[in-house]
Amino acid sequence: MSSGTQVGIVGAGPAGLMLGHLLHLAGIDSVIVENRSREYVIDRVRAGVLEQGTVDLLCAMGVAGGLNRRGLRHEGVYINFDGCRHRVDMAELTSGKAITVYGQNEVVKDLIDARVETGRPLYFDAQEVSVDALDATRPVIRFSHAGTSHELSCDFVAGCDGFHGVCRPSIPAGVLQIYERLYPFGWLGILAEAAPSCDELVYTYHDRGFALFSMRSTDVTRLYLQVPPDEPIANWSDDAIWDEMLRRMTTSDGWSPNVGRILQKSVTAMRSFVAAPMRHARLFLAGDAAHIVPPTGAKGLNLAAADVVVLASALKEFYETGSDAMLDGYSSICLRRVWKAQRFSWWMTTLLHRLPDETPFDHQRHLADLDYLASSRAAMTSLAEQYVGLPWEISLESLHL
Ligand SMILES: Cc1cc2nc3c(=O)[nH]c(=O)nc-3n(C[C@H](O)[C@H](O)[C@H](O)COP(=O)(O)OP(=O)(O)OC[C@H]3O[C@@H](n4cnc5c(N)ncnc54)[C@H](O)[C@@H]3O)c2cc1C
């Protein structure tokens, strides 16, 4: 079956769904093609920290009903080392900005509901998805769905299909420059049926390795432990996980996470990755398809949002005025923010994890870094302004949402 649209979007993660809705609000047609089921996409537990700008975007897009009701606004964050929690008052240091904890799966669910309400096409369970003719005036997305083969011709293709998608590998060899760094550790993450014992996130540096206390709701805690990158999850019984969490996180004033039934556990390796440029001919990469950050700085989902704001703005300009100046600037505008987020995520990661080859000198320098952060207003301000999110490259007003 042959059909056409203005923008073909591959992937119904945060990037693809946000782009689809921004284009809808600008009166631009799109078709979203996703290879997983609706249930799988909604149930996938991942990010949970939204920058101030991402919250403002979702509000301006009219998809923040659930976020406003159930999102947990955090005006501070704790750095825990040497048995003491040190609070960074982000709101005070950034003239009132904050982060909001609201699960990525909730964001995705709200965006899918909004998409369905628009009546615009969103195919789940698409098979054999491929992109072709990227250099032609009408590139195509091919896929099969419910036994029918589709050929969708588009003005532009948005590759929002994550790190393991098909769009980036479809770009001819030699076009992309790849920048990559792998880390010698991963995160063992759990979701636990336990009320959060602290209202804000607690990042812990401990002799035995990094740990992070966070939450998804008033009843569910999300916790992470530094482990080797290839650690089999089968090595960790629930009791062993809680023993290690408590050992690393408990502070000298008696604070520790509440223990509860573990609902889900997994190990994720960590990498920093950038593919540049983020455009080839009529294909635009956005979100994890173009870049990955280690999750310590909580930037991945927020970078995906920042990319699609630039892309939607550029497409709006193209369809309204015929100018492709902003489409031409898409990659360089996005990469400026991407590299700042890469730098911040790398810095947070190296500050808070123990490296396997750390010397006694490195260890003392590490502790001095943390001591400086906890005692210098300038250092805390730098952390705070990056954690709540640097200003958008494109003002939301320019989108006329
Ligand atoms: C454990 C963990 C914790 C994290 N914590 C945070 C955090 O606190 N804050 C934060 O900002 N970020 C965090 N992140 C990162 C964040 O989850 C990602 O950056 C975000 O999901 C990127 O969105 P995306 O839409 O670009 O990609 P994805 O969410 O990967 O979406 C891509 C979509 O494309 C689909 N797809 C893939 N291949 C194809 C294909 N061939 N055809 C069609 N569809 C396809 C996928 O099924 C998926 O639905 C975390 C990530 C992990 C793994």
Side-chain angles (χ1 to χ4, degrees):
M1 192 170 107
S2 295
S3 58
T5 189
Q6 289 176 301
V7 182
I9 301 175
V10 185
L17 290 164
M18 276 191 246
L19 178 64
H21 201 68
L22 286 168
L23 295 178
H24 162 74
L25 295 172
I28 299 168
D29 288 338
S30 67
V31 173
I32 305 180
V33 181
E34 162 66 47
N35 68 351
R36 298 289 194 161
S37 69
R38 180 174 178 158
E39 297 68 36
Y40 181 92
V41 170
I42 289 177
D43 288 344
R44 197 163 38 196
V45 177
R46 288 172 120 194
V49 172
L50 305 183
E51 290 178 357
Q52 182 72 58
T54 307
V55 170
D56 296 344
L57 171 68
L58 294 170
C59 290
M61 288 166 67
V63 291
L67 170 63
N68 289 331
R69 279 193 303 281
R70 297 188 302 281
L72 306 171
R73 180 179 158 90
H74 290 193
E75 298 198 340
V77 63
Y78 287 93
I79 307 293
N80 177 18
F81 63 96
D82 254 355
C84 291
R85 277 183 300 165
H86 304 264
R87 184 166 186 271
V88 178
D89 189 336
M90 298 186 297
E92 199 255 327
L93 294 164
T94 63
S95 311
K97 291 187 187 156
I99 52 128
T100 299
V101 171
Y102 188 62
Q104 176 170 329
N105 51 330
E106 299 283 345
V107 173
V108 163
K109 182 177 172 305
D110 297 345
L111 288 165
I112 290 173
D113 290 347
R115 177 75 182 185
V116 170
E117 206 163 300
T118 66
R120 293 188 186 272
L122 164 52
Y123 292 93
F124 286 105
D125 292 309
Q127 311 288 309
E128 295 148 17
V129 181
S130 65
V131 293
D132 200 6
L134 299 174
D135 288 315
T137 41
R138 297 281 290 170
V140 294
I141 302 175
R142 293 199 183 85
F143 60 100
S144 61
H145 184 259
T148 305
S149 297
H150 291 254
E151 183 169 302
L152 176 70
S153 69
C154 320
D155 293 338
F156 301 100
V157 174
C160 302
D161 49 349
F163 186 66
H164 300 288
V166 291
C167 289
R168 193 181 65 250
S170 305
I171 295 175
V175 170
L176 296 178
Q177 166 107 35
I178 302 296
Y179 304 86
E180 189 165 27
R181 182 188 195 104
L182 298 172
Y183 295 84
F185 42 75
W187 278 12
L188 188 164
I190 62 167
L191 264 188
E193 207 172 50
S197 60
C198 177
D199 290 342
E200 293 170 342
L201 272 67
V202 183
Y203 283 86
T204 297
Y205 174 82
H206 188 275
D207 282 355
R208 297 173 64 86
F210 168 83
L212 173 60
F213 167 92
S214 124
M215 66 289 291
R216 283 295 178 269
S217 69
T218 48
D219 310 311
V220 176
T221 316
R222 179 93 167 126
L223 302 126
Y224 300 94
L225 281 179
Q226 176 184 348
V227 294
D230 48 0
E231 182 82 339
I233 190 67
N235 285 0
W236 288 83
S237 68
D238 291 3
D239 286 346
I241 292 173
W242 281 120
D243 281 352
E244 192 63 24
M245 292 283 180
L246 295 176
R247 200 184 298 197
R248 293 189 195 180
M249 289 192 216
T250 302
T251 53
S252 47
D253 62 2
W255 176 81
S256 62
N258 287 329
V259 174
R261 188 163 68 93
I262 295 181
L263 304 170
Q264 196 244 11
K265 56 182 174 181
S266 60
V267 173
T268 313
M270 291 211 203
R271 73 171 78 220
S272 302
F273 174 93
V274 178
M278 289 169 58
R279 173 191 185 174
H280 170 65
R282 291 188 164 249
L283 168 65
F284 292 80
L285 301 176
D288 280 14
H291 41 71
I292 296 278
V293 284
T296 327
K299 290 289 168 236
L301 168 58
N302 296 295
L303 274 183
D307 288 349
V308 298
V309 164
V310 180
L311 186 53
S313 202
L315 289 165
K316 185 167 156 24
E317 183 179 276
F318 174 80
Y319 284 113
E320 284 177 1
T321 68
S323 163
D324 47 18
M326 208 171 153
L327 285 172
D328 288 344
Y330 169 74
S331 179
S332 55
I333 295 171
C334 291
L335 284 169
R336 285 188 65 198
R337 185 180 192 84
V338 167
W339 277 112
K340 281 182 258 184
Q342 287 288 358
R343 194 210 66 79
F344 177 67
S345 303
W346 163 85
W347 174 75
M348 284 278 280
T349 302
T350 46
L351 177 73
L352 290 161
H353 290 73
R354 288 226 58 185
L355 296 170
D357 55 355
E358 208 171 82
T359 63
F361 177 89
D362 292 332
H363 186 50
Q364 293 305 320
R365 183 196 46 74
H366 220 139
L367 291 171
D369 274 346
L370 288 159
D371 193 15
Y372 173 62
L373 173 62
S375 56
S376 157
R377 185 178 171 87
M380 282 190 272
T381 305
S382 172
L383 168 70
E385 72 171 5
Q386 295 179 85
Y387 200 68
V388 299
L390 296 171
W392 292 93
E393 283 62 31
I394 302 287
S395 81
L396 287 184
E397 286 72 40
S398 71
L399 282 169
H400 302 294
L401 296 170

